[in-house]
């Protein structure tokens, strides 16, 4: 009965481990998307900087382009912050995953010890039964 409960706990831990692994994969995909967006923003910033000196422009056009570059740089900073948050989340999930794996292993060891104890108890009972039979046979022979 205790063995069945431990089996259920181990199964629960395995499910939790799979869920954490899935969360890590999702966060990793989000980081990849963020990095892709960062590269696109950087490329746009670079193109905008190049266009500043390429042609003569009116003051209003220059101001609009300058404001756009400032907006893009703020967007890049925001993306860097999001990436950092996701990386911290992944580190937290990895720690949780490690703890779950340790707990699962602990329960597996406990299950093994219980199984060994049950087997040892069974073997003792069998040995006692065999000893009792041998004593009866020996008593009848003498």
């Amino acid at each position: 009965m205790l063995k069945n409960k431990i089996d259920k706990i181990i199964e629960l831990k395995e499910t939790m481990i799979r869920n954490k692994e899935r969360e890590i994969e999702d966060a990793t995909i989000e980081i990849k998307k963020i990095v892709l967006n960062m590269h696109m923003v950087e490329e746009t910033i670079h193109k905008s900087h190049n266009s500043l000196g390429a042609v003569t422009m009116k003051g209003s056009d220059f101001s609009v382009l300058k404001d756009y570059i400032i907006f893009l740089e703020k967007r890049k900073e925001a993306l860097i912050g999001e990436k950092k948050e996701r990386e911290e989340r992944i580190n937290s999930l990895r720690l949780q995953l490690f703890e779950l794996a340790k707990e699962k292993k602990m329960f597996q060891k406990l299950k093994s010890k219980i199984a060994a104890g049950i087997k040892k108890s069974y073997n003792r009972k069998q040995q006692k039964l065999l000893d009792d039979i041998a004593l009866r046979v020996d008593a009848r022979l003498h």
Side-chain angles (χ1 to χ4, degrees), residues 72-118:
L72 289 174
E73 288 174 350
K74 287 181 181 178
R75 177 70 183 135
K76 180 182 169 186
E77 288 175 19
L79 288 170
I80 289 170
E82 286 180 34
K83 181 182 173 206
K84 187 178 273 190
E85 287 175 11
R86 296 306 188 286
E87 288 171 342
E88 290 171 3
R89 173 93 173 118
I90 287 174
N91 289 335
S92 171
L93 289 170
R94 284 185 178 146
L95 287 174
Q96 293 172 16
L97 184 63
F98 178 72
E99 290 299 319
L100 286 170
K102 278 181 19 182
E103 291 173 10
K104 177 185 166 192
K105 189 171 184 173
M106 178 189 69
F107 281 110
Q108 287 174 329
K109 284 183 180 180
L110 181 60
K111 178 182 168 185
S112 297
K113 287 180 181 180
I114 289 172
I118 291 171

Side-chain angles (χ1 to χ4, degrees), residues 20-88:
K20 291 295 175 195
E21 289 171 341
R22 196 171 308 119
E23 287 182 52
I24 290 172
E25 288 175 18
D26 291 345
T28 303
I29 290 170
E30 289 176 13
I31 286 177
K32 288 179 182 177
K33 288 178 183 177
I34 290 169
V35 168
L36 181 64
N37 284 337
M38 284 173 47
H39 288 302
M40 289 173 29
V41 167
E42 287 172 349
E43 187 176 317
T44 306
I45 290 171
H46 182 69
K47 286 179 183 177
S48 297
H49 276 290
N50 287 342
S51 65
L52 280 176
V55 291
T56 56
M57 35 175 104
K58 295 187 233 168
S60 61
D61 291 340
F62 178 78
S63 178
V64 168
L65 189 56
K66 186 181 102 181
D67 290 342
Y68 181 61
I69 291 172
I70 290 171
F71 164 78
L72 289 174
E73 288 174 350
K74 287 181 181 178
R75 177 70 183 135
K76 180 182 169 186
E77 288 175 19
L79 288 170
I80 289 170
E82 286 180 34
K83 181 182 173 206
K84 187 178 273 190
E85 287 175 11
R86 296 306 188 286
E87 288 171 342
E88 290 171 3

